[in-house]
Amino acid sequence: MIDIIVLGAAAGGGFPQWNSNAPGCRRARAGDPAAPPRTQASIAISGDGKHWFVVNASPDLRTQINQTPALHPHEGLRSTPIAGVILTGGEIDGITGLFTLRESQPFTLLATAEVLSVLDANPIFEALNREIVTRTAIVPDQPFTLRLTDGTPAGLTIVPFVVPGKVPLYAESGPDPAAICENGETVGLEISDGSHRVCFIPGCARMTDNLRVRLRGADAVFFDGTLWVDDEMVRAGLGQKTGRRMGHMSIDGMDGTIAALRDLDIARKIFIHINNSNPVLLADSPERAQVEAAGWEVSHDGMRITQ
């Protein structure tokens, strides 16, 4: 069994974003049922529905845990069903939630060596006591068996795989700070119970032949849904960066995600990491209708799928 709970479906900043007065965010604040709020992107995965691994520790993690009964403590005065955290990159909106987990609770922290080096370089992450929280490197294209804190197999195997991305904004430097790279700083996860296969890719700068091969025939794929079109934020007057500049594919267009995954025989296709400017967040938008007509789902906080 692969049990997945979407803890947060939005991109960095959430929906509504704290300083955005754009129409979609205003609708979300007003309680419009067609614009439900979403926290920042994260999922929880389990092989038994009891023990969980959080994938990406968003700044909203405390809220996400509190609103997800499956992640509540159930034993003694202090406990947690969270056995580990898996990171797919070093972006702020995927690592700062680690500080929520600093209360001397054992768990395993899994990431590529490149992402772990980002944490190692910043002493503030030593708030996660290494004697209690084990940091373990996972290697692209090598299967890794998830285990509970007592060493018992958790029933799931993950395979990290490199996807095109860019270094985190705070780490940009050099003559081409936004260069797209495939060096392990941005990865996707293939999650398997031996019978089913789910892929989680919250950030991806472009489609590649290797990625198509990886995704073909999957039972479910959660994929980067940051922007509807590349210059969405520029058109809306919300910023000067395009999706490509930020390291994200767009949903629409000839080189967009819908077109790229159209013929890959994926059973369920689900957008996650959706920016507050993206009209697919609005249930009554023509863009949402177009996405659904193409066979895609738009994730929401609390969404749960079991394979």
Side-chain angles (χ1 to χ4, degrees), residues 102-130:
R102 67 187 185 277
E103 280 85 11
S104 299
Q105 183 69 46
F107 65 91
T108 303
L109 178 59
L110 304 167
T112 63
E114 291 79 7
V115 174
L116 289 179
S117 70
V118 171
L119 305 185
D120 292 344
N122 191 329
I124 195 170
F125 287 100
E126 299 304 319
L128 296 174
N129 186 340
R130 291 176 188 253

PDB file of all heavy atoms in Angstrom, residues 102-130:
ATOM      1  N   ARG A 102      12.318  20.348  16.059  1.00  0.00           N
ATOM      2  CA  ARG A 102      13.579  20.401  16.812  1.00  0.00           C
ATOM      3  C   ARG A 102      13.439  19.979  18.271  1.00  0.00           C
ATOM      4  O   ARG A 102      14.405  20.061  19.026  1.00  0.00           O
ATOM      5  CB  ARG A 102      14.152  21.825  16.753  1.00  0.00           C
ATOM      6  CG  ARG A 102      13.315  22.868  17.484  1.00  0.00           C
ATOM      7  CD  ARG A 102      13.840  24.281  17.249  1.00  0.00           C
ATOM      8  NE  ARG A 102      13.121  25.275  18.038  1.00  0.00           N
ATOM      9  CZ  ARG A 102      11.967  25.815  17.680  1.00  0.00           C
ATOM     10  NH1 ARG A 102      11.373  25.449  16.542  1.00  0.00           N
ATOM     11  NH2 ARG A 102      11.374  26.717  18.450  1.00  0.00           N
ATOM     12  N   GLU A 103      12.255  19.508  18.682  1.00  0.00           N
ATOM     13  CA  GLU A 103      12.027  19.200  20.102  1.00  0.00           C
ATOM     14  C   GLU A 103      12.521  17.817  20.516  1.00  0.00           C
ATOM     15  O   GLU A 103      11.783  17.036  21.124  1.00  0.00           O
ATOM     16  CB  GLU A 103      10.533  19.354  20.451  1.00  0.00           C
ATOM     17  CG  GLU A 103      10.108  20.788  20.675  1.00  0.00           C
ATOM     18  CD  GLU A 103       9.759  21.509  19.373  1.00  0.00           C
ATOM     19  OE1 GLU A 103       9.657  20.828  18.339  1.00  0.00           O
ATOM     20  OE2 GLU A 103       9.577  22.728  19.391  1.00  0.00           O
ATOM     21  N   SER A 104      13.750  17.495  20.187  1.00  0.00           N
ATOM     22  CA  SER A 104      14.405  16.260  20.658  1.00  0.00           C
ATOM     23  C   SER A 104      13.592  15.012  20.359  1.00  0.00           C
ATOM     24  O   SER A 104      13.488  14.101  21.181  1.00  0.00           O
ATOM     25  CB  SER A 104      14.686  16.361  22.167  1.00  0.00           C
ATOM     26  OG  SER A 104      15.546  17.442  22.438  1.00  0.00           O
ATOM     27  N   GLN A 105      13.016  14.966  19.163  1.00  0.00           N
ATOM     28  CA  GLN A 105      12.237  13.805  18.739  1.00  0.00           C
ATOM     29  C   GLN A 105      13.022  13.049  17.671  1.00  0.00           C
ATOM     30  O   GLN A 105      13.379  13.617  16.642  1.00  0.00           O
ATOM     31  CB  GLN A 105      10.891  14.251  18.154  1.00  0.00           C
ATOM     32  CG  GLN A 105       9.983  13.102  17.759  1.00  0.00           C
ATOM     33  CD  GLN A 105       9.460  12.336  18.953  1.00  0.00           C
ATOM     34  OE1 GLN A 105       9.019  12.923  19.932  1.00  0.00           O
ATOM     35  NE2 GLN A 105       9.490  11.013  18.869  1.00  0.00           N
ATOM     36  N   PRO A 106      13.322  11.774  17.882  1.00  0.00           N
ATOM     37  CA  PRO A 106      14.100  11.032  16.886  1.00  0.00           C
ATOM     38  C   PRO A 106      13.344  10.871  15.567  1.00  0.00           C
ATOM     39  O   PRO A 106      12.155  10.557  15.546  1.00  0.00           O
ATOM     40  CB  PRO A 106      14.312   9.667  17.549  1.00  0.00           C
ATOM     41  CG  PRO A 106      14.084   9.901  19.003  1.00  0.00           C
ATOM     42  CD  PRO A 106      13.048  10.975  19.083  1.00  0.00           C
ATOM     43  N   PHE A 107      14.029  11.114  14.472  1.00  0.00           N
ATOM     44  CA  PHE A 107      13.553  10.777  13.135  1.00  0.00           C
ATOM     45  C   PHE A 107      14.751  10.801  12.201  1.00  0.00           C
ATOM     46  O   PHE A 107      15.850  11.233  12.573  1.00  0.00           O
ATOM     47  CB  PHE A 107      12.440  11.723  12.654  1.00  0.00           C
ATOM     48  CG  PHE A 107      12.854  13.155  12.445  1.00  0.00           C
ATOM     49  CD1 PHE A 107      13.307  13.605  11.205  1.00  0.00           C
ATOM     50  CD2 PHE A 107      12.763  14.094  13.471  1.00  0.00           C
ATOM     51  CE1 PHE A 107      13.673  14.935  10.999  1.00  0.00           C
ATOM     52  CE2 PHE A 107      13.124  15.418  13.285  1.00  0.00           C
ATOM     53  CZ  PHE A 107      13.578  15.839  12.046  1.00  0.00           C
ATOM     54  N   THR A 108      14.556  10.329  10.997  1.00  0.00           N
ATOM     55  CA  THR A 108      15.624  10.292  10.009  1.00  0.00           C
ATOM     56  C   THR A 108      15.402  11.392   8.983  1.00  0.00           C
ATOM     57  O   THR A 108      14.277  11.580   8.505  1.00  0.00           O
ATOM     58  CB  THR A 108      15.671   8.931   9.289  1.00  0.00           C
ATOM     59  OG1 THR A 108      15.838   7.893  10.259  1.00  0.00           O
ATOM     60  CG2 THR A 108      16.814   8.879   8.295  1.00  0.00           C
ATOM     61  N   LEU A 109      16.462  12.111   8.651  1.00  0.00           N
ATOM     62  CA  LEU A 109      16.410  13.162   7.638  1.00  0.00           C
ATOM     63  C   LEU A 109      17.137  12.651   6.401  1.00  0.00           C
ATOM     64  O   LEU A 109      18.335  12.347   6.444  1.00  0.00           O
ATOM     65  CB  LEU A 109      17.064  14.437   8.166  1.00  0.00           C
ATOM     66  CG  LEU A 109      17.141  15.634   7.208  1.00  0.00           C
ATOM     67  CD1 LEU A 109      15.747  16.051   6.754  1.00  0.00           C
ATOM     68  CD2 LEU A 109      17.850  16.795   7.886  1.00  0.00           C
ATOM     69  N   LEU A 110      16.419  12.548   5.294  1.00  0.00           N
ATOM     70  CA  LEU A 110      16.944  11.970   4.062  1.00  0.00           C
ATOM     71  C   LEU A 110      16.999  13.023   2.964  1.00  0.00           C
ATOM     72  O   LEU A 110      16.022  13.745   2.730  1.00  0.00           O
ATOM     73  CB  LEU A 110      16.062  10.810   3.599  1.00  0.00           C
ATOM     74  CG  LEU A 110      15.838   9.671   4.600  1.00  0.00           C
ATOM     75  CD1 LEU A 110      14.704   8.779   4.137  1.00  0.00           C
ATOM     76  CD2 LEU A 110      17.112   8.862   4.748  1.00  0.00           C
ATOM     77  N   ALA A 111      18.126  13.103   2.266  1.00  0.00           N
ATOM     78  CA  ALA A 111      18.288  14.024   1.144  1.00  0.00           C
ATOM     79  C   ALA A 111      19.536  13.630   0.379  1.00  0.00           C
ATOM     80  O   ALA A 111      20.367  12.843   0.871  1.00  0.00           O
ATOM     81  CB  ALA A 111      18.394  15.470   1.631  1.00  0.00           C
ATOM     82  N   THR A 112      19.699  14.167  -0.809  1.00  0.00           N
ATOM     83  CA  THR A 112      20.935  13.919  -1.541  1.00  0.00           C
ATOM     84  C   THR A 112      22.087  14.610  -0.817  1.00  0.00           C
ATOM     85  O   THR A 112      21.887  15.514  -0.001  1.00  0.00           O
ATOM     86  CB  THR A 112      20.856  14.456  -2.975  1.00  0.00           C
ATOM     87  OG1 THR A 112      20.695  15.877  -2.945  1.00  0.00           O
ATOM     88  CG2 THR A 112      19.702  13.812  -3.740  1.00  0.00           C
ATOM     89  N   ALA A 113      23.303  14.180  -1.141  1.00  0.00           N
ATOM     90  CA  ALA A 113      24.487  14.789  -0.529  1.00  0.00           C
ATOM     91  C   ALA A 113      24.542  16.276  -0.814  1.00  0.00           C
ATOM     92  O   ALA A 113      24.961  17.076   0.037  1.00  0.00           O
ATOM     93  CB  ALA A 113      25.748  14.096  -1.051  1.00  0.00           C
ATOM     94  N   GLU A 114      24.089  16.679  -2.010  1.00  0.00           N
ATOM     95  CA  GLU A 114      24.108  18.101  -2.369  1.00  0.00           C
ATOM     96  C   GLU A 114      23.186  18.908  -1.465  1.00  0.00           C
ATOM     97  O   GLU A 114      23.537  20.013  -1.024  1.00  0.00           O
ATOM     98  CB  GLU A 114      23.699  18.276  -3.835  1.00  0.00           C
ATOM     99  CG  GLU A 114      24.699  17.765  -4.846  1.00  0.00           C
ATOM    100  CD  GLU A 114      24.657  16.256  -5.026  1.00  0.00           C
ATOM    101  OE1 GLU A 114      23.750  15.596  -4.449  1.00  0.00           O
ATOM    102  OE2 GLU A 114      25.535  15.721  -5.733  1.00  0.00           O
ATOM    103  N   VAL A 115      22.014  18.378  -1.169  1.00  0.00           N
ATOM    104  CA  VAL A 115      21.070  19.104  -0.314  1.00  0.00           C
ATOM    105  C   VAL A 115      21.529  19.065   1.143  1.00  0.00           C
ATOM    106  O   VAL A 115      21.441  20.071   1.862  1.00  0.00           O
ATOM    107  CB  VAL A 115      19.656  18.523  -0.473  1.00  0.00           C
ATOM    108  CG1 VAL A 115      18.693  19.166   0.527  1.00  0.00           C
ATOM    109  CG2 VAL A 115      19.152  18.736  -1.901  1.00  0.00           C
ATOM    110  N   LEU A 116      22.040  17.932   1.589  1.00  0.00           N
ATOM    111  CA  LEU A 116      22.550  17.867   2.963  1.00  0.00           C
ATOM    112  C   LEU A 116      23.700  18.853   3.170  1.00  0.00           C
ATOM    113  O   LEU A 116      23.846  19.417   4.262  1.00  0.00           O
ATOM    114  CB  LEU A 116      23.009  16.447   3.294  1.00  0.00           C
ATOM    115  CG  LEU A 116      21.907  15.397   3.471  1.00  0.00           C
ATOM    116  CD1 LEU A 116      22.527  14.037   3.759  1.00  0.00           C
ATOM    117  CD2 LEU A 116      20.941  15.790   4.585  1.00  0.00           C
ATOM    118  N   SER A 117      24.493  19.087   2.138  1.00  0.00           N
ATOM    119  CA  SER A 117      25.600  20.045   2.270  1.00  0.00           C
ATOM    120  C   SER A 117      25.082  21.461   2.494  1.00  0.00           C
ATOM    121  O   SER A 117      25.749  22.263   3.157  1.00  0.00           O
ATOM    122  CB  SER A 117      26.506  19.989   1.036  1.00  0.00           C
ATOM    123  OG  SER A 117      25.862  20.532  -0.110  1.00  0.00           O
ATOM    124  N   VAL A 118      23.910  21.762   1.940  1.00  0.00           N
ATOM    125  CA  VAL A 118      23.293  23.075   2.183  1.00  0.00           C
ATOM    126  C   VAL A 118      22.966  23.228   3.660  1.00  0.00           C
ATOM    127  O   VAL A 118      23.226  24.269   4.276  1.00  0.00           O
ATOM    128  CB  VAL A 118      22.020  23.238   1.326  1.00  0.00           C
ATOM    129  CG1 VAL A 118      21.262  24.500   1.727  1.00  0.00           C
ATOM    130  CG2 VAL A 118      22.376  23.283  -0.158  1.00  0.00           C
ATOM    131  N   LEU A 119      22.407  22.172   4.266  1.00  0.00           N
ATOM    132  CA  LEU A 119      22.087  22.219   5.690  1.00  0.00           C
ATOM    133  C   LEU A 119      23.359  22.252   6.527  1.00  0.00           C
ATOM    134  O   LEU A 119      23.448  22.990   7.517  1.00  0.00           O
ATOM    135  CB  LEU A 119      21.250  21.004   6.084  1.00  0.00           C
ATOM    136  CG  LEU A 119      19.951  20.754   5.303  1.00  0.00           C
ATOM    137  CD1 LEU A 119      19.206  19.572   5.920  1.00  0.00           C
ATOM    138  CD2 LEU A 119      19.073  21.977   5.256  1.00  0.00           C
ATOM    139  N   ASP A 120      24.355  21.456   6.131  1.00  0.00           N
ATOM    140  CA  ASP A 120      25.612  21.398   6.886  1.00  0.00           C
ATOM    141  C   ASP A 120      26.310  22.751   6.915  1.00  0.00           C
ATOM    142  O   ASP A 120      27.006  23.076   7.890  1.00  0.00           O
ATOM    143  CB  ASP A 120      26.557  20.357   6.264  1.00  0.00           C
ATOM    144  CG  ASP A 120      26.054  18.931   6.433  1.00  0.00           C
ATOM    145  OD1 ASP A 120      25.158  18.716   7.268  1.00  0.00           O
ATOM    146  OD2 ASP A 120      26.557  18.049   5.718  1.00  0.00           O
ATOM    147  N   ALA A 121      26.130  23.544   5.855  1.00  0.00           N
ATOM    148  CA  ALA A 121      26.834  24.822   5.752  1.00  0.00           C
ATOM    149  C   ALA A 121      26.201  25.912   6.607  1.00  0.00           C
ATOM    150  O   ALA A 121      26.800  26.978   6.791  1.00  0.00           O
ATOM    151  CB  ALA A 121      26.879  25.276   4.296  1.00  0.00           C
ATOM    152  N   ASN A 122      25.014  25.653   7.142  1.00  0.00           N
ATOM    153  CA  ASN A 122      24.310  26.668   7.928  1.00  0.00           C
ATOM    154  C   ASN A 122      24.132  26.155   9.359  1.00  0.00           C
ATOM    155  O   ASN A 122      23.347  25.231   9.603  1.00  0.00           O
ATOM    156  CB  ASN A 122      22.949  26.979   7.311  1.00  0.00           C
ATOM    157  CG  ASN A 122      22.306  28.207   7.932  1.00  0.00           C
ATOM    158  OD1 ASN A 122      22.508  28.506   9.102  1.00  0.00           O
ATOM    159  ND2 ASN A 122      21.531  28.925   7.142  1.00  0.00           N
ATOM    160  N   PRO A 123      24.828  26.737  10.322  1.00  0.00           N
ATOM    161  CA  PRO A 123      24.790  26.207  11.694  1.00  0.00           C
ATOM    162  C   PRO A 123      23.424  26.251  12.352  1.00  0.00           C
ATOM    163  O   PRO A 123      23.200  25.542  13.336  1.00  0.00           O
ATOM    164  CB  PRO A 123      25.800  27.078  12.442  1.00  0.00           C
ATOM    165  CG  PRO A 123      25.944  28.316  11.624  1.00  0.00           C
ATOM    166  CD  PRO A 123      25.742  27.896  10.198  1.00  0.00           C
ATOM    167  N   ILE A 124      22.511  27.036  11.817  1.00  0.00           N
ATOM    168  CA  ILE A 124      21.193  27.097  12.456  1.00  0.00           C
ATOM    169  C   ILE A 124      20.498  25.737  12.382  1.00  0.00           C
ATOM    170  O   ILE A 124      19.682  25.396  13.246  1.00  0.00           O
ATOM    171  CB  ILE A 124      20.314  28.205  11.822  1.00  0.00           C
ATOM    172  CG1 ILE A 124      19.111  28.502  12.732  1.00  0.00           C
ATOM    173  CG2 ILE A 124      19.849  27.823  10.420  1.00  0.00           C
ATOM    174  CD1 ILE A 124      18.326  29.723  12.322  1.00  0.00           C
ATOM    175  N   PHE A 125      20.840  24.913  11.383  1.00  0.00           N
ATOM    176  CA  PHE A 125      20.210  23.599  11.280  1.00  0.00           C
ATOM    177  C   PHE A 125      20.756  22.606  12.297  1.00  0.00           C
ATOM    178  O   PHE A 125      20.227  21.498  12.426  1.00  0.00           O
ATOM    179  CB  PHE A 125      20.348  23.058   9.857  1.00  0.00           C
ATOM    180  CG  PHE A 125      19.449  23.758   8.874  1.00  0.00           C
ATOM    181  CD1 PHE A 125      19.941  24.744   8.044  1.00  0.00           C
ATOM    182  CD2 PHE A 125      18.100  23.449   8.818  1.00  0.00           C
ATOM    183  CE1 PHE A 125      19.111  25.410   7.156  1.00  0.00           C
ATOM    184  CE2 PHE A 125      17.254  24.108   7.945  1.00  0.00           C
ATOM    185  CZ  PHE A 125      17.758  25.098   7.107  1.00  0.00           C
ATOM    186  N   GLU A 126      21.788  23.018  13.044  1.00  0.00           N
ATOM    187  CA  GLU A 126      22.248  22.175  14.142  1.00  0.00           C
ATOM    188  C   GLU A 126      21.235  22.165  15.284  1.00  0.00           C
ATOM    189  O   GLU A 126      21.401  21.422  16.254  1.00  0.00           O
ATOM    190  CB  GLU A 126      23.615  22.645  14.641  1.00  0.00           C
ATOM    191  CG  GLU A 126      24.714  22.584  13.593  1.00  0.00           C
ATOM    192  CD  GLU A 126      24.875  21.205  12.990  1.00  0.00           C
ATOM    193  OE1 GLU A 126      24.813  20.207  13.734  1.00  0.00           O
ATOM    194  OE2 GLU A 126      25.057  21.130  11.744  1.00  0.00           O
ATOM    195  N   ALA A 127      20.186  22.986  15.160  1.00  0.00           N
ATOM    196  CA  ALA A 127      19.076  22.889  16.116  1.00  0.00           C
ATOM    197  C   ALA A 127      18.464  21.493  16.095  1.00  0.00           C
ATOM    198  O   ALA A 127      17.858  21.050  17.077  1.00  0.00           O
ATOM    199  CB  ALA A 127      18.005  23.935  15.791  1.00  0.00           C
ATOM    200  N   LEU A 128      18.620  20.793  14.969  1.00  0.00           N
ATOM    201  CA  LEU A 128      18.244  19.389  14.904  1.00  0.00           C
ATOM    202  C   LEU A 128      19.439  18.575  15.379  1.00  0.00           C
ATOM    203  O   LEU A 128      20.388  18.331  14.631  1.00  0.00           O
ATOM    204  CB  LEU A 128      17.873  19.000  13.471  1.00  0.00           C
ATOM    205  CG  LEU A 128      16.646  19.693  12.869  1.00  0.00           C
ATOM    206  CD1 LEU A 128      16.504  19.313  11.415  1.00  0.00           C
ATOM    207  CD2 LEU A 128      15.392  19.343  13.640  1.00  0.00           C
ATOM    208  N   ASN A 129      19.435  18.197  16.624  1.00  0.00           N
ATOM    209  CA  ASN A 129      20.546  17.509  17.264  1.00  0.00           C
ATOM    210  C   ASN A 129      20.907  16.238  16.487  1.00  0.00           C
ATOM    211  O   ASN A 129      20.096  15.318  16.356  1.00  0.00           O
ATOM    212  CB  ASN A 129      20.151  17.148  18.705  1.00  0.00           C
ATOM    213  CG  ASN A 129      21.292  16.571  19.499  1.00  0.00           C
ATOM    214  OD1 ASN A 129      22.277  16.090  18.966  1.00  0.00           O
ATOM    215  ND2 ASN A 129      21.149  16.628  20.821  1.00  0.00           N
ATOM    216  N   ARG A 130      22.129  16.192  15.989  1.00  0.00           N
ATOM    217  CA  ARG A 130      22.550  15.054  15.165  1.00  0.00           C
ATOM    218  C   ARG A 130      22.583  13.749  15.961  1.00  0.00           C
ATOM    219  O   ARG A 130      22.582  12.663  15.366  1.00  0.00           O
ATOM    220  CB  ARG A 130      23.920  15.328  14.552  1.00  0.00           C
ATOM    221  CG  ARG A 130      23.903  16.436  13.489  1.00  0.00           C
ATOM    222  CD  ARG A 130      25.311  16.703  13.000  1.00  0.00           C
ATOM    223  NE  ARG A 130      25.391  17.855  12.126  1.00  0.00           N
ATOM    224  CZ  ARG A 130      25.579  17.794  10.806  1.00  0.00           C
ATOM    225  NH1 ARG A 130      25.691  16.611  10.213  1.00  0.00           N
ATOM    226  NH2 ARG A 130      25.661  18.881  10.082  1.00  0.00           N
TER     227      ARG A 130
END
